[in-house]
Amino acid sequence: MLVLSRKKGESIIIQDNIEVTVLAVEGDTVRIGISAPKQIDIFRKEVYASIQEANRESAKPDAPSVAAFMELLQGIEKK
């Protein structure tokens, strides 16, 4: 992990087209702004983890669907 110190109004650049700027520092909270191309998705880590979990859940086959598929296969094998 790269660790940098930045003050309010200072930025870092990532890959020529992503700029992260420190907008404000208030106690333990740091407000940052991110400028990036529209095709780059930017999420808070907890939101990203939630999206990933939802994707994993939606990709899992449910028992009734598996049972119906197995019945379909068995019907095809009998023909």
Side-chain angles (χ1 to χ4, degrees):
M1 174 187 302
L2 173 64
V3 179
L4 301 170
S5 296
R6 301 278 73 203
K7 295 179 181 176
K8 181 180 174 183
E10 295 181 334
S11 301
I12 62 169
I13 302 294
I14 302 170
Q15 290 288 323
D16 294 328
N17 59 358
I18 301 171
E19 182 176 0
V20 180
T21 304
V22 177
L23 301 177
V25 180
E26 300 166 2
D28 291 344
T29 303
V30 177
R31 292 178 53 90
I32 60 171
I34 303 168
S35 296
K38 289 182 179 184
Q39 68 269 19
I40 295 180
D41 294 327
I42 301 171
F43 301 102
R44 294 189 327 258
K45 186 175 181 178
E46 62 275 13
V47 171
Y48 183 77
S50 177
I51 292 168
Q52 293 301 309
E53 180 60 27
N55 287 344
R56 281 190 292 276
E57 286 298 317
S58 67
K60 285 183 184 177
D62 57 50
S65 296
V66 172
F69 181 69
M70 295 303 290
E71 287 180 27
L72 177 66
L73 286 178
Q74 289 171 354
I76 292 171
E77 289 175 355
K78 289 180 182 178
K79 290 182 178 182

